[in-house]
Amino acid sequence: MPITKICCIGAGYVGGPTCSVIALKCPHIRVTVVDKSYERIAQWNSSKLPIYEPGLDDVVQQRRNKNLFFSTDIAQAIEEAELIFISVNTPTKTFGNGKGRAADLKYVESAARMIADIATGDKIVVEKSTVPVRAAESIMNILRANHKPGVSYQILSNPEFLAEGTAIEDLLNADRVLIGGEESPEGQAAIEQLCQVYEHWIPRKNIITTNTWSSELSKLAANAILAQRISSINSLSAVCEATGADVSEVARAVGLDSRIGPKFMQASVGFGGSCFQKDILNLVYICECLNLPEVAAYWQQVIDMNEYQKSRFSAKVIESLFNTVTDKKISLLGFAFKKNTGDTRESPAIHVAKTLLDEGAKLHIYDPKVEESQILLDLTHPSVTAEPEHVRERISIYKDAYSATKNTHAIVICTEWDEFMELDFKRIYADMMKPAYIFDGRKILDHDKLQKIGFIVQTIGKKLIRSSISRVWGSQTQM
Ligand code: NAI
């Protein structure tokens, strides 16, 4: 029987865009996205969606209240649906066993318990959240332990590979859709039903099916390998700075090897986002639990290298500014963890801001899509400061790059927003304190042009020619 009603528990960065695209491509399926947060659902039903994704507004506008619904009535949506996506957050545990590494499955468990409580008919339950290997077993245990006569469940794993900032494009043209399920006839039938949903726009050859555990592990493996590439090139950026090699040239030369390819080879201030770190930590924890300490240590190094890169960049800013930023005004351009999203989870900008604030700097911050309230929330979080009032006094948030950089000593580029490449840097230079510094943490600017204007420029993975200023101030300013 083809699926006609889908429920998605969790209206976040994954649940919202994924279901919007399903609704767009399958007008005959009624898709209801539910969340326990009234505020989030109200935003999904408003003209200002809770997340920024290029193309998302358009898709939602086309299908909302036709076959796409956002609701807090979780019970009704579960009861009606034949297929239920669990798309809730799976953050790193902050306390108890596995603290700081294991994935916290409390939201997945609570979603499974709701399904067990409410369902009165057969359901296909699909893990869309990124989970540890064998999480489907725990979901099944909850559902089977609450068995009701006439109700049977199939659990599928269907991890999401979209990237924030390109979510709609990624969903419309997915490299692959991965579906894992039981090898039983019932399991295979459920896989087939989900395949049929995706087949409305994804070619069948790009829909791959595996056993459940392979599917669960593939998502962790994909994120670990993507992050590993970033940490690899970032580690080489340090070698470049020490030797005179240029990491962009190295990345290009290496990436032209068809066995390697050019993607995820861009050195930067470090990776961020809600997934890479948490998923690798989760993988490390799983390896430790499986008594595979060498494998755990291997993947842990990807995280350690990222921490090193963020610290190295922040230290470079301070060192270049004559080893003190106390009461200096520094503008941070970009606060999101990458361009084309307003998401700040694990953003390297938070790390840079914290280091500069700890050293007594005053920060002028501008990001095209991050709300002021979010920046304040991130920088006054207990993990960033014990003195939130003090931090509030030291940060100002601006609505454009020109006012954010005015009268500041230095600009630090933390996010690779396209609009930063188009800025009138002559105008910016004229309005800044001198000597005026730019620290390009994303390698997006034309450094020669900036140096000609008069800026002292520092970036990642390139040994810069010493400026006359740094010569005057001696070796401590060398990079
Ligand atoms: P999110 O935090 O944006 O959204 C999760 C939503 O689930 C929240 O709105 C929360 O209120 C809701 N929720 C939690 N428990 C609930 C419950 N019991 N009932 C109803 N609603 C509940 O998280 P995001 O970013 O969408 O991630 C979801 C999952 O997808 C995670 O496992 C993540 O690792 C994975 N993922 C995320 C990607 C990303 O780029 N953000 C990409 C691929 C996978």
Side-chain angles (χ1 to χ4, degrees):
M1 282 282 285
I3 300 294
T4 59
K5 291 195 193 79
I6 288 178
C7 161
C8 173
I9 305 176
Y13 284 87
V14 166
T18 307
C19 285
S20 300
V21 167
I22 293 177
L24 180 75
K25 293 295 177 182
C26 310
H28 59 287
I29 299 181
R30 184 185 165 91
V31 183
T32 308
V33 188
V34 293
D35 204 290
K36 61 183 181 181
S37 161
Y38 285 87
E39 194 191 344
R40 220 167 207 193
I41 291 299
Q43 288 173 318
W44 278 109
N45 282 318
S46 75
S47 56
K48 191 167 189 300
L49 302 183
I51 63 174
Y52 171 71
E53 270 299 334
L56 177 64
D57 283 20
D58 184 43
V59 177
V60 171
Q61 245 166 37
Q62 283 187 56
R63 301 316 311 166
R64 192 170 54 194
N65 298 329
K66 294 192 177 84
N67 66 326
L68 174 64
F69 301 88
F70 295 95
S71 166
T72 50
D73 192 342
I74 303 178
Q76 190 188 345
I78 289 176
E79 176 57 37
E80 284 175 3
E82 297 127 7
L83 185 145
I84 303 166
F85 285 112
I86 298 181
S87 192
V88 299
N89 36 334
T90 47
T92 305
K93 274 184 92 168
T94 52
F95 57 87
N97 216 359
K99 172 185 169 185
R101 286 170 309 151
D104 191 342
L105 292 183
K106 69 179 174 202
Y107 303 109
V108 172
E109 183 182 333
S110 127
R113 287 188 187 280
M114 282 192 296
I115 297 169
D117 275 355
I118 292 157
T120 54
D122 296 350
K123 306 284 175 199
I124 298 173
V125 177
V126 185
E127 285 175 344
K128 182 70 74 191
S129 298
T130 305
V131 288
V133 194
R134 298 199 84 90
E137 204 167 31
S138 313
I139 297 177
M140 195 45 128
N141 286 341
I142 292 171
L143 296 175
R144 291 213 173 121
N146 291 281
H147 177 73
K148 290 180 207 153
V151 180
S152 73
Y153 298 103
Q154 275 302 317
I155 316 288
L156 300 180
S157 159
N158 173 219
E160 185 48 63
F161 294 102
L162 68 78
E164 284 177 33
T166 50
I168 298 300
E169 175 61 23
D170 294 344
L171 287 162
L172 289 173
N173 300 302
D175 290 339
R176 77 318 205 173
V177 165
L178 175 59
I179 304 175
E182 274 182 22
E183 275 150 23
S184 62
E186 296 80 9
Q188 294 303 304
I191 289 177
E192 182 53 33
Q193 282 180 288
L194 184 54
C195 281
Q196 283 172 12
V197 173
Y198 284 112
E199 264 186 292
H200 284 97
W201 77 99
I202 304 287
R204 183 73 193 213
K205 67 175 175 37
N206 294 353
I207 305 176
I208 54 174
T209 60
T210 63
N211 81 36
T212 315
W213 323 131
S214 303
S215 173
E216 289 175 334
L217 183 58
S218 298
K219 174 63 194 177
L220 295 181
N223 273 356
I225 291 171
L226 288 169
Q228 180 201 43
R229 284 176 67 105
I230 301 176
S231 278
S232 296
I233 198 71
N234 280 344
S235 76
L236 293 168
S237 74
V239 180
C240 290
E241 285 162 36
T243 56
D246 179 338
V247 74
S248 301
E249 292 177 352
V250 174
R252 182 160 178 269
V254 172
L256 282 170
D257 186 325
S258 59
R259 293 168 302 177
I260 297 173
K263 292 187 179 167
F264 280 71
M265 291 281 273
Q266 167 84 2
S268 72
V269 53
F271 61 74
S274 65
C275 294
F276 281 178
Q277 178 163 312
K278 107 174 146 61
D279 293 349
I280 297 173
L281 288 171
N282 185 358
L283 182 61
V284 168
Y285 183 70
I286 291 168
C287 294
E288 281 171 1
C289 293
L290 295 171
N291 200 20
L292 300 168
E294 290 81 1
V295 187
Y298 178 78
W299 289 110
Q300 178 64 44
Q301 192 56 30
V302 173
I303 305 274
D304 294 349
M305 185 52 62
N306 198 47
E307 289 304 309
Y308 169 69
Q309 188 75 350
K310 289 186 282 188
S311 302
R312 217 166 63 78
F313 181 70
S314 309
K316 177 187 288 208
V317 175
I318 294 165
E319 200 181 314
S320 303
L321 293 171
F322 317 113
N323 247 343
T324 174
V325 291
T326 309
D327 287 333
K328 283 186 181 147
K329 292 181 199 150
I330 300 179
S331 52
L332 249 59
L333 295 189
F335 201 78
F337 83 92
K338 66 192 282 200
K339 74 172 179 181
N340 292 337
T341 178
D343 195 353
T344 62
R345 292 178 287 181
E346 303 294 341
S347 177
I350 299 174
H351 183 111
V352 173
K354 176 183 166 30
T355 311
L356 296 175
L357 287 166
D358 286 348
E359 292 280 335
K362 292 181 174 164
L363 300 184
H364 292 208
I365 304 175
Y366 165 66
D367 185 284
K369 288 292 172 197
V370 181
E371 303 284 344
E372 177 166 349
S373 56
Q374 185 61 49
I375 297 176
L376 287 170
L377 207 66
D378 287 335
L379 294 184
T380 55
H381 190 270
S383 61
V384 172
T385 181
E387 297 172 289
E389 273 318 311
H390 182 67
V391 164
R392 251 181 232 115
E393 284 164 15
R394 302 191 81 80
I395 55 178
S396 319
I397 295 154
Y398 291 85
K399 298 232 174 298
D400 70 280
Y402 295 105
S403 39
T405 51
K406 199 168 184 171
N407 293 327
T408 60
H409 294 82
I411 296 171
V412 183
I413 307 278
C414 289
T415 313
E416 71 281 23
W417 285 102
D418 290 344
E419 69 170 62
F420 297 159
M421 292 186 259
E422 309 300 325
L423 290 170
D424 177 352
F425 280 101
K426 273 192 185 148
R427 175 180 161 194
I428 288 178
Y429 181 77
D431 283 346
M432 281 179 69
M433 312 282 275
K434 308 294 180 319
Y437 284 80
I438 290 193
F439 299 91
D440 183 0
R442 294 292 183 164
K443 299 177 71 64
I444 53 169
L445 302 180
D446 181 338
H447 301 146
D448 284 347
K449 203 166 134 191
L450 292 172
Q451 280 179 322
K452 278 186 193 126
I453 293 172
F455 283 104
I456 299 170
V457 186
Q458 296 282 5
T459 189
I460 283 169
K462 192 174 180 182
K463 191 177 186 184
L464 284 143
I465 304 147
R466 271 193 270 164
S467 68
S468 54
I469 296 290
S470 50
R471 254 181 251 128
V472 170
W473 283 82
S475 60
Q476 67 170 6
T477 59
Q478 289 175 34
M479 296 312 297

